[in-house]
Structure formats: C-alpha cells, structure tokens
Amino acid sequence: MITSRDVARLAGVSQPTVSRALRDDPKVSEATKQRVREAATALGYAPNAIGRALSVGRSTRVGLVVTDLENQFYAHVIAPMHQELERLGHELVLITESSEAAPVAEHVLAHGLCGVVLATTTVDSVLPTRLRDRGVPFVYFNRTALAVPADSVTVDPERGVRDLLADVVGQGHRRIGAIFGPRNTSTGEQREQVVRAVLDEYGIALAHRDVRHGPFDFRAGHEGAHALLDGDDPPTAVLCANDVVALGALNAAAELGVAVPGDVSVAGFDDLPTSSWALVRLSTVAYDLDAMSREAARLLVRRVDDPHAEPVRAVYPTRYIARATVAAPRA
Amino acid sequence: MITSRDVARLAGVSQPTVSRALRDDPKVSEATKQRVREAATALGYAPNAIGRALSVGRSTRVGLVVTDLENQFYAHVIAPMHQELERLGHELVLITESSEAAPVAEHVLAHGLCGVVLATTTVDSVLPTRLRDRGVPFVYFNRTALAVPADSVTVDPERGVRDLLADVVGQGHRRIGAIFGPRNTSTGEQREQVVRAVLDEYGIALAHRDVRHGPFDFRAGHEGAHALLDGDDPPTAVLCANDVVALGALNAAAELGVAVPGDVSVAGFDDLPTSSWALVRLSTVAYDLDAMSREAARLLVRRVDDPHAEPVRAVYPTRYIARATVAAPRA
C-alpha cells in the first residue's frame, strides 16, 4: 500500500506538505504541488478521504439541503455548486428534507459533513438554530432566516420586479392576479411585498380572489392557474412566484384553451433555461443563479476554514427580460 | 460523547447489534431495531459515518457517474436513486465525468466510495475495466459495456419502437429522418439498430442526408433539427434518440416556423415529465425510469454486500405513448 510518506520521499518534500499540496492549499507553491501530483501519479497513490478526514479532524463533504430533486430549479443550483466544490477539493452530498426521517442536523452530524448549504430555509425553520448550537458551519442559499445570522447568498427582487410591473401596467393591465410563494419563506414573502408595494405606486391593489399562495413548484402554478383562469371574469395577467410555477400556469392555460398572451399575460422569476425555449418564451425576472451557486460553495468552504470570519451577505441584482408572454390585454 | 456501547446498554443488546440495527440489517428483528432506535434517540446518539466506515472497513457512500447535471434526464434518475439509497442507509455522491481532472476510478478510490453506478458508459469506456481490476463494485445503468460483465439495469427498446414506427408508417410517412444517439453507446447503437430493422420490414430505408448522430442532449436535437428541417425537401418525420433531443428538435421547429405535427412529425424516447406538458405533448417511448433507478441502487448495495453474487441483468420493457407530435404528413 502506497502512503503519503512514499509520495513525500519521491517528491522530496515533507509528509504534511503532501497532504496540503493534494488538497490544493494556497500556502503550497504551484511548483511543489505539481511535483507532488506527479509523484502521487507515478506511485499510483490515492489519498483516502476517510483517512484525510481523520487526520485533519473533519471531512471534505458539504451537504446541500433541497426539497425536491426533480424540481428543475435545483438542477441549475446543483450543477455549478458541485463543480465549484470539486474545484475546491470538496464533495457535494445531497440531503432532501422530505425524505429525511431523522432531522437534517442529526443527519449532518451522523454523516460527518463539514458544513451545509441550506436552500430550503423557512422563516420558522429550526435547522439554523440546531446547526449553530452544534457548531456546524452553514450558508443560507436563496432563502434566509433572520433569527440566526450566517453567511448568505440571496437575490434582490426590486429592480427586476419593478421593470416587469412597468411592462405589465404599461401594456394596460389593471386586473392582475398572482400565484405567490409560501408566506413562510423569505423569498416568497419578499417578492410578494415588492409586487404589492410597486403596484400600490400605480394605484393598483390585488383583489383577494385573484391571489393564490403555494410551494415553488409546477403543481402550484398548474392548480393556481386553473383556479384563476377557469371562471367568467379572470384577471388579464398572472404574476408567478418563480419560473417553475409559471411553467405550471402556462400549461394550465394551454389545457384550458386560454391563449397566452392573447387572453392572459404570464410572468415568472428565475429565468431558467426552459423559459427561453421557443415553445415557452416566458417573460421573467433574471439573475445569475450560476454565480450565486458557486459563491455559496466558496462561502461555505471559507466558513469551514475560518469559523470566526465576519459573515458575508452576498445579494445578487435582478433584471427583467421581456419575451412573449406579456402583452396588452384584449380591448 | 455517547457511544454505541451506551446505546447497547440502554437497549439491552450487544454492541454489534446496535450497528446492525442502525444500518437496517434485515437479520435484526423489527422489534429490536425499534428498541435500538429509541435508545439512540433518547441518548442523542448519532452514529458517525466515518467511524462506521472504519469499523466495517468501508464507507456507505455510493457514487453515481453522470455527464451533465443540468440534463433533465438525470434529475429523474438522481431523485429516486437518492431516495432508495437513503432508505438502505447509504448516501449518494455525484461524480461528473466532464469535470473530473482525475479519472473516475481514482476519484472513487480516493473518496472511499463503496461502489459506483455507471450512467455514462460508452462501449469503449476504460472505466469498467479499471473498476473491476481495483475491486470496486459497480452497476451499469441504462448503458452497458459488454466486455466487462456486471450487474445491469437497462431498457429493451423493441416493443416501444415497433409500436411508434407502426404509428409513423401507418400515418403515411415514407421520408423519415432521425437524430440518433452516439454510436459508441449501447443505448444509441441499440435504438438505431431497432429503428433500422423495423423500418426495413416496411421496406423503408433512411436516406443518408436525413440522419444525424449526436449526444443525448438538447443541443443535438436543436442543431440536428435545424439541419434536417431548414431545406427545400425535408423529411416528414424526425425520430429522436431521446426526449431531451426531441425537445431540442421541437424548439428548433418552432424557431423555423415549421408546424408540428402539420409540417413534420417528431418522436422521442424516455417519456420525461416535460414530454406530457400541454405545451409539448410529445409522442414517445416510455418505460419505468423511476423503478430502474431504484433497482440500480438496490443491486449496487447487494453487490457491495456480496461481491460474489451471480450478476443480475434487469431489462425493462418499453411501450409507445401516442400524443400530439405524430400525425399524417401533408398530402
């Protein structure tokens, strides 16, 4: 069995330098890293993550807590986050909230993860408190819980929503409906507040019967749009909590024979790849989800390395993308 | 620090029984498992995966090798596989082929995975040989490489493709085009062979200019359909290697103003959730991807437990689902 001692001897460096070089420690020069890597390759040495975890007192595995892995939003979070973590010498472990019998905090401890990215936080979630109390590093992704401060990567909906509503109201819509996200999420709450505040500036209030709330999923948009559009006097525009919800709404409209944007305008939030399909052409609010996902990975690794660093609050701006689902209402 | 010894004392069982009960070993009775779980919960005992890995000589982490995490096909593999592995007391670790600097086999050894599910095998792939030579258990998922026998979970395209082509030919199509998968994958090769063989029974041969090959992704369908449809004399039907390719083709048709199914019929393979959207209504070949993903997880865990078990070849049947993208060609 080849050990790091053998690699150290061949590379002419100390044993700790081998470990540091192989985990890409910035304190080791590129030339030394190169020499160590070549020696490791020549000897067929594979550093064992379990051994490494024991030697440095922690694992290199980062948990990402999500709800539904089949929700396409998460695919566009997981892919860049996975890549960034790999670049940093870490591994991504997926944790789904729904399928967990044991609370997530116990799962994290049981599986020896070095930290967690939380993508499913609700404002009343106990998880941040538990993680803090047990000393597990974590980063809020997309959603936050104010009660427990931590590094966070979030979106500021203001600019994008303001420009979206300028388009919607400018096209002549007055009876506007909405399928908002859950009230117990910071994203759902914040987007709803911005929509209501901006519409208030135009002197428009959402009628109670034109508003639905639900999870950020296809079904919420599908059922919500069926409820809003399948009546005698539907709203002329439906604002959706995110793109997946909007895709549910667009499909409901197609099922009902309600033309978009002829009979109803629909808007989303996220600008997922599907939204720019020629079959969809969803008008939506965009931001850099790829960069956000990578930044969350970097913040988590930094937090693991330095538990006492000042918390970072990274806020990403939004912009409106007008495509084909928002137009003037029928006269 | 609470140890398994404390849990054993409280539950009135031996220490090895605690470990077996907590990893849901079928040899332990449900009553005993229940007692051990209650004792563990009462004491706040969290079995440490690293410690467990050392004590049983292996980890509980299973790698899934995929190409592109943003390809929606994989979301519908990852979700059920993750859930099934969790149920079996294992964790899923994602390994992307493209982003790996080091070969996957080294990655698996370096990270102490107990086994791997291969979802990206090519017929000339060296990975199965490397894994076999290093004694790493693995299961072929969807695609196989005949040279190295192992447990496999695959699809038999015959029934579904035969019924699809009966529809296409029955509707009157004679100039049929295709965007096939890569020739170096068992799935691409097999589906192409079945399509050509069945069309041959109808006396139809695919014209060379009507055939494209490419990866199983959106872009292959998008570019392939642009090439096939943007000419003076396009085929009246385009068969696609899978649904993601077909979605690329449908969007290309929409961009070109080519009506589906009026100007061209399009068919897929997989029946992903997106394919049944009202906006899409793709005629396609279906099989139970959810059950396949779960079975691959179970076979891998079984293989880890019993390296000498007889290899299993699970083959899933297919069926054709006629939706709205296949119809008679214009007269």
Side-chain angles (χ1 to χ4, degrees), chain B residues 58 60 62 84-86 88-91 114-115 117 137 139 151 294-307:
Chain B
R58 61 165 195 258
T60 53
V62 171
E84 188 74 3
L85 284 170
E86 201 166 61
L88 297 167
H90 286 61
E91 275 173 279
C114 67
V117 177
V139 169
D151 301 299
R294 292 175 194 276
E295 176 149 16
R298 288 194 300 274
L299 283 177
L300 196 273
V301 171
R302 162 184 168 279
R303 175 61 51 194
V304 170
D305 285 341
D306 182 2

Side-chain angles (χ1 to χ4, degrees), chain A residues 223-307:
Chain A
E223 292 182 356
H226 265 285
L228 291 176
L229 300 178
D230 197 15
D232 291 340
D233 183 29
T236 64
V238 176
L239 310 173
C240 296
N242 73 1
D243 279 9
V244 171
V245 172
L247 290 166
L250 290 176
N251 277 287
E255 290 160 19
L256 291 165
V258 172
V260 177
D263 297 324
V264 67
S265 288
V266 174
F269 193 106
D270 283 342
D271 193 30
L272 298 181
T274 306
S275 305
S276 61
W277 283 4
L279 290 180
V280 175
R281 300 191 66 201
L282 178 66
S283 297
T284 190
V285 173
Y287 55 94
D288 196 340
L289 183 59
D290 189 280
M292 278 179 64
S293 307
R294 291 174 195 276
E295 176 149 17
R298 287 194 301 273
L299 283 177
L300 197 272
V301 171
R302 162 184 168 278
R303 176 61 52 194
V304 169
D305 285 342
D306 183 3

Side-chain angles (χ1 to χ4, degrees), chain A residues 47-50 53-54 61 69-70 76 79 82 86 91 93-94 96 99-100 110-111 218 251 254-255 277-279, chain B residues 47-50 53-54 61 69-70 76 79 82 86 91 93-94 96 99-100 110-111 218 247 251 254-255 277-279:
Chain A
N48 185 295
I50 294 175
L54 289 173
R61 274 170 293 134
L69 284 166
E70 298 192 61
H76 303 292
H82 178 268
E86 200 167 62
E91 274 174 280
V93 174
L94 299 172
T96 49
S99 68
E100 273 307 291
H111 289 79
F218 185 92
N251 277 287
E255 290 160 19
W277 283 4
L279 290 180
Chain B
N48 184 296
I50 294 175
L54 289 174
R61 274 171 292 134
L69 284 167
E70 298 192 61
H76 304 292
H82 178 269
E86 201 166 61
E91 275 173 279
V93 174
L94 299 172
T96 48
S99 66
E100 274 307 292
H111 290 77
F218 186 90
L247 289 165
N251 277 288
E255 290 161 18
W277 284 4
L279 290 179

